[in-house]
């Protein structure tokens, strides 16, 4: 029994150390990114390279006007904005046309058409934009990304000589209701925290919300179609960049994704989809995810306390306060969403994590914006 208890204590110590270290790394990166990029202050704005922004759109979301309008309000001298839509009758089309009419000074266009070169509907939507892009630097940005005025400066400022792709994880903001708080708990102090830790260690993974490409790099790898070799374009992008001997990097200070009102079914469906994608595309990294939340360390702490005749409630409670206190300090330091509901949302997320991990192994299909997608079919097609 003593050996098992000591093993539990060792696991708790290592898990807590990793938790604190990853939170410290993410806080440092976000704080460092708060300062303007040095090159953006040293080089005249009209001397910065021209950039194309591709935004795939499909259907309407509550904050579409806010997020799409932000793309017209960038403090950048030379950029073009290309919206990609499958269907001319899509309800998002009138909003885009109105925004373009309100900002005639911005070089913007809406491309309509459907390509079917890959199994990924989002990537198929982007193909026409990639072909039409006028510039060597190309950003692929989801329609629900909120772009600050210095969006392009931040991205270009994060590029290094060994970079093959620069990305930004979504940071949940403006949540309404408890389940939107839970989504913030997943996006911010869990997923973004681990992504920044991995990136800092040189193991950056692409994130499809925002991807900055140097066009020539992707063309050498086979063009945009190469991103269809995996069911998720960000997983394919990670493998394309690494195979070229370059690194995927994350921008220091990521960009917001307004959430609004969310329901439990929405959150569950989205998290199951992402978990299955991670399991299919990076199974070795997915395996330890079952231990990544607080449930396993808290259970191990409780068992060790019982075996060593230490008050269980005091031991588990102290660890929980330290664990979630680190998340609170991270959210505050990074300027991410933090509210009185956050601790409850973090606990709900951690209870969900082991169940999601199991669910990821129990199926190979999911639905995304009305498209039924199958992991097994995508693997067979490759």
């Amino acid at each position: 029994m003593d050996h098992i208890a000591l093993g539990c204590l060792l696991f708790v110590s290592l898990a807590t150390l990793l938790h604190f270290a990853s939170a410290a790394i993410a806080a440092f990166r976000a704080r460092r990114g708060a300062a303007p990029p040095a090159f953006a202050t040293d080089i005249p704005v009209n001397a910065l390279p021209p950039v194309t922004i591709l935004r795939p759109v499909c259907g309407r979301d509550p904050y579409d006007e806010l997020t799409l309008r932000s793309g017209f309000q960038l403090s950048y001298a030379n950029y073009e904005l290309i919206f990609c839509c499958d269907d001319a009758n899509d309800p998002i089309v009138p909003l885009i046309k109105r925004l373009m009419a309100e900002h005639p000074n911005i070089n913007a266009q809406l491309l309509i058409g459907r390509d079917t070169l890959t199994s990924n509907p989002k990537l198929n939507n982007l193909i026409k934009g990639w072909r039409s892009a006028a510039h060597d630097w190309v950003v692929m940005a989801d329609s629900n990304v909120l772009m600050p005025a210095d969006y392009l400066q931040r991205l270009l400022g994060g590029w290094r000589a060994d970079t093959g792709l620069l990305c930004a994880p979504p940071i949940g903001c403006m949540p309404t209701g408890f389940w939107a708080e839970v989504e913030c708990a997943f996006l911010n102090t869990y997923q973004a925290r681990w992504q920044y830790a991995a990136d800092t260690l040189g193991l950056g993974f692409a994130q499809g919300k925002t991807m900055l490409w140097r066009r020539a790099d992707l063309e050498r790898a086979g063009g945009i179609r190469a991103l269809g070799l995996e069911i998720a374009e960000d997983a394919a992008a990670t493998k394309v960049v690494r195979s070229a001997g370059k690194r995927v990097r994350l921008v220091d200070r990521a960009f917001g994704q307004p959430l609004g009102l969310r329901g439990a079914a929405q959150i569950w469906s989205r998290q199951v989809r992402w978990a299955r994608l991670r399991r299919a595309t990076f199974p070795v990294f997915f395996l330890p995810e079952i231990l990544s939340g607080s449930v396993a360390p808290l259970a191990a702490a409780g068992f060790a306390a019982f075996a060593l005749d230490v008050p269980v409630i005091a031991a588990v409670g102290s660890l929980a306060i330290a664990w979630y206190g680190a998340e609170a300090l991270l959210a505050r330091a990074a300027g991410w969403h933090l509210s009185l509901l956050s601790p409850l949302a973090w606990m709900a997320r951690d209870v969900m994590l082991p169940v999601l991990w199991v669910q990821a192994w129990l199926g190979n299909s999911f639905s995304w914006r009305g498209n039924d997608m199958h992991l097994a079919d995508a693997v067979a097609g490759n």
Side-chain angles (χ1 to χ4, degrees):
M1 178 68 76
D2 287 345
H3 293 299
I4 297 175
L6 290 175
C8 287
L9 286 177
L10 178 60
F11 168 69
V12 170
S13 299
L14 290 174
T16 304
L17 179 62
L18 283 174
H19 183 71
F20 289 172
S22 60
I25 289 170
F28 171 76
R29 292 287 297 272
R31 299 277 294 192
R32 184 175 69 178
F39 87 99
T41 58
D42 297 338
I43 301 175
V45 67
N46 58 2
L48 295 173
V51 179
T52 296
I53 300 175
L54 305 181
R55 302 202 80 167
V57 293
C58 179
R60 286 297 304 263
D61 288 319
Y63 287 101
D64 277 341
E65 179 153 1
L66 176 66
T67 57
L68 296 180
R69 184 184 294 277
S70 69
F72 290 89
Q73 299 173 333
L74 304 182
S75 298
Y76 202 83
N78 191 357
Y79 74 99
E80 67 171 346
L81 195 52
I82 300 179
F83 297 95
C84 302
C85 187
D86 280 343
D87 186 355
N89 296 316
D90 192 290
I92 195 65
V93 168
L95 171 60
I96 293 173
K97 290 183 175 179
R98 175 163 61 82
L99 290 172
M100 291 169 59
E102 292 174 2
H103 299 86
N105 58 312
I106 300 299
N107 180 12
Q109 58 179 313
L110 170 63
L111 302 182
I112 305 290
R114 186 185 300 272
D115 288 290
T116 56
L117 294 179
T118 76
S119 61
N120 184 331
K122 172 184 166 183
L123 186 62
N124 289 339
N125 194 11
L126 281 168
I127 289 173
K128 54 187 171 289
W130 180 265
R131 291 170 174 166
S132 300
H135 304 310
D136 294 331
W137 292 96
V138 181
V139 176
M140 300 174 183
D142 283 2
S143 60
N144 55 10
V145 172
L146 186 59
M147 299 178 175
D150 63 349
Y151 177 75
L152 293 177
Q153 287 92 330
R154 284 198 212 173
L155 290 175
L156 291 169
W159 196 272
R160 301 291 182 268
D162 63 348
T163 304
L165 175 63
L166 192 87
C167 298
I171 301 300
C173 62
M174 303 168 63
T176 301
F178 177 72
W179 289 107
E181 295 272 355
V182 173
E183 182 145 8
C184 269
F186 273 105
L187 290 174
N188 300 359
T189 55
Y190 177 68
Q191 290 168 354
R193 171 171 58 84
W194 281 115
Q195 284 177 289
Y196 275 118
D199 177 54
T200 302
L201 295 175
L203 293 172
F205 289 82
Q207 183 79 36
K209 284 293 174 183
T210 287
M211 297 197 295
L212 171 66
W213 290 98
R214 188 160 46 190
R215 188 183 184 93
D217 292 339
L218 186 53
E219 291 294 355
R220 277 193 295 269
I224 191 171
R225 193 168 184 173
L227 302 185
L229 296 178
E230 298 275 349
I231 193 169
E233 76 282 353
D234 40 17
T238 301
K239 296 177 182 180
V240 163
V241 170
R242 290 180 180 176
S243 67
K246 293 183 177 290
R247 282 185 56 179
V248 176
R249 292 185 181 274
L250 298 185
V251 67
D252 278 335
R253 193 173 183 87
F255 313 110
Q257 177 185 331
L259 299 179
L261 184 66
R262 299 294 170 103
Q266 281 179 289
I267 305 305
W268 180 256
S269 174
R270 184 176 293 108
Q271 294 302 325
V272 168
R273 181 177 85 236
W274 289 345
R276 286 179 176 170
L277 286 170
R278 293 194 302 275
R279 186 263 298 172
T281 54
F282 293 102
V284 173
F285 291 97
F286 180 72
L287 283 172
E289 281 194 21
I290 193 171
L291 302 175
S292 61
S294 68
V295 170
L298 290 175
F303 180 86
F306 176 79
L308 298 174
D309 200 25
V310 173
V312 173
I313 294 178
V316 173
S318 298
L319 180 60
I321 290 171
W323 191 276
Y324 294 122
E327 292 202 39
L329 290 173
L330 166 58
R332 184 175 180 84
W336 298 344
H337 175 76
L338 183 64
S339 75
L340 293 176
L341 287 176
S342 294
L344 291 176
W346 297 331
M347 286 186 277
R349 174 205 66 204
D350 285 354
V351 170
M352 293 169 67
L353 283 172
V355 186
L356 284 166
W357 189 89
V358 173
Q359 190 70 23
W361 294 96
L362 298 180
N364 286 313
S365 63
F366 56 86
S367 180
W368 181 75
R369 287 189 177 268
N371 298 282
D372 292 327
M373 304 180 71
H374 304 275
L375 299 177
D377 291 347
V379 172
N382 291 340

